[in-house]
Amino acid sequence: MPTPRNRKVPAPAPPRRRPPRLEYRAKDGAWYGARMALQGDSLRVMFEEFREEFDEWHDPNTADLASPGDVTALRTRFRPASPPLEDARCGDLRRGQLLCVLRAMSNGERKYYDAILDSVKRAAHVTVGGEERCACRFTVRWTDGPLRGGLDEVGVDEVCCVRDSPVNDPVLSEFLDRVTRSFGFGDGEENAKAVQDSPVQEPRLNEFLDRVTKSFGYCNGEEKPKAAPQGTGATLPPGGEQSATAAPQATGATSLCGGEGETAFIIID
């Protein structure tokens, strides 16, 4: 009897590449899975499933990283990867929640942009192959991309959930900390500096403060004159004899004044 031939053992499948831990907002405003590497003094951002000619580079000696605020802006372009919405978890979504949503572009490309959940059209779930499938429709308002500000309706397969957690990547941290130290700050201090240098952009607050300023006879943004020395007979500006509590109230504003010697606060809803 002939000796039986040994069966060929199939070669083991190559190990699947681990999904990216981080995603990165590229120059086109879309989010991509990415990995980082330090090459010399520069940070190299490599996009998953894209050729290396699409890599983005960040050089600390360029105008893009010329201030602590630029470092903070670059830091916000990285975040933990957004997992797909599970079919059985659609009920966890809340109106106003930040999502990362797939958008089919006119040129056939498919890109992920940020959007805010506006509403959910509930539908009965079905079971396919023993797995629950969500049939709900989600109306989102785009916050980035070519349709920014517009509404769109998508299904569960297009929705990913943005995670509110810090970015922990040693390569990224080393690069950003190195650039931060070049400005004379300790690690992480660029955030406080950027906030300190950034002007307040709150229309209702600015409107209220401008209105109060006008009540004293000054134009918007005009500095208050220095107080005249006592005993010179100087008079108060128009409206200056009114108390702080008599200042006109802006719509939606509430004045909370403490007792004598306490600080008065203005709360903008």
Side-chain angles (χ1 to χ4, degrees), residues 8 17 20 23 76 96 118 122 171 201 242 261 268:
K8 291 184 178 180
R17 193 172 194 173
E23 56 191 22
T76 61
D118 185 79
R122 301 293 179 184
V171 174
Q201 301 293 339
Q242 297 178 355
I268 303 296

Side-chain angles (χ1 to χ4, degrees), residues 120-138:
V120 179
K121 186 184 300 181
R122 301 293 179 184
H125 289 196
V126 297
T127 302
V128 178
E131 296 184 359
E132 181 178 352
R133 295 292 295 167
C134 173
C136 302
R137 302 295 293 176
F138 309 91

Side-chain angles (χ1 to χ4, degrees), residues 61-230:
N61 299 316
T62 61
D64 293 338
L65 288 173
S67 70
D70 294 333
V71 177
T72 301
L74 178 58
R75 191 186 298 272
T76 61
R77 294 174 64 181
F78 295 89
R79 69 187 183 194
S82 302
L85 174 63
E86 298 179 13
D87 293 73
R89 303 297 298 272
C90 66
D92 296 343
L93 297 183
R94 295 293 179 264
R95 184 178 183 183
Q97 183 172 341
L98 178 63
L99 304 172
C100 192
V101 182
L102 180 64
R103 171 69 184 176
M105 312 303 291
S106 58
N107 59 1
E109 293 182 332
R110 295 160 63 86
K111 298 183 178 183
Y112 282 90
Y113 291 101
D114 279 351
I116 298 295
L117 180 63
D118 185 79
S119 62
V120 179
K121 186 184 300 181
R122 301 293 179 184
H125 289 196
V126 297
T127 302
V128 178
E131 296 184 359
E132 181 178 352
R133 295 292 295 167
C134 173
C136 302
R137 302 295 293 176
F138 309 91
T139 300
V140 299
R141 184 179 299 277
W142 299 102
T143 60
D144 286 312
L147 297 179
R148 180 177 180 178
L151 293 174
D152 213 343
E153 187 177 283
V154 297
V156 66
D157 292 333
E158 287 82 45
V159 178
C160 293
C161 301
V162 177
R163 294 190 292 175
D164 185 16
S165 55
V167 173
N168 294 313
D169 184 86
V171 174
L172 178 63
S173 297
E174 179 181 349
F175 175 77
L176 295 178
D177 290 344
R178 184 190 303 171
V179 178
T180 299
R181 288 193 294 269
S182 70
F183 296 119
F185 299 106
D187 295 351
E189 289 184 2
E190 85 281 356
N191 290 323
K193 176 63 176 175
V195 171
Q196 179 181 357
D197 292 343
S198 299
V200 176
Q201 301 293 339
E202 171 51 58
R204 290 181 296 172
L205 175 60
N206 292 334
E207 178 185 355
F208 175 79
L209 295 178
D210 289 342
R211 187 178 302 178
V212 175
T213 300
K214 291 178 183 178
S215 72
F216 296 118
Y218 304 116
C219 298
N220 295 354
E222 183 178 352
E223 293 184 0
K224 183 177 180 180
K226 294 182 179 179
Q230 297 295 326

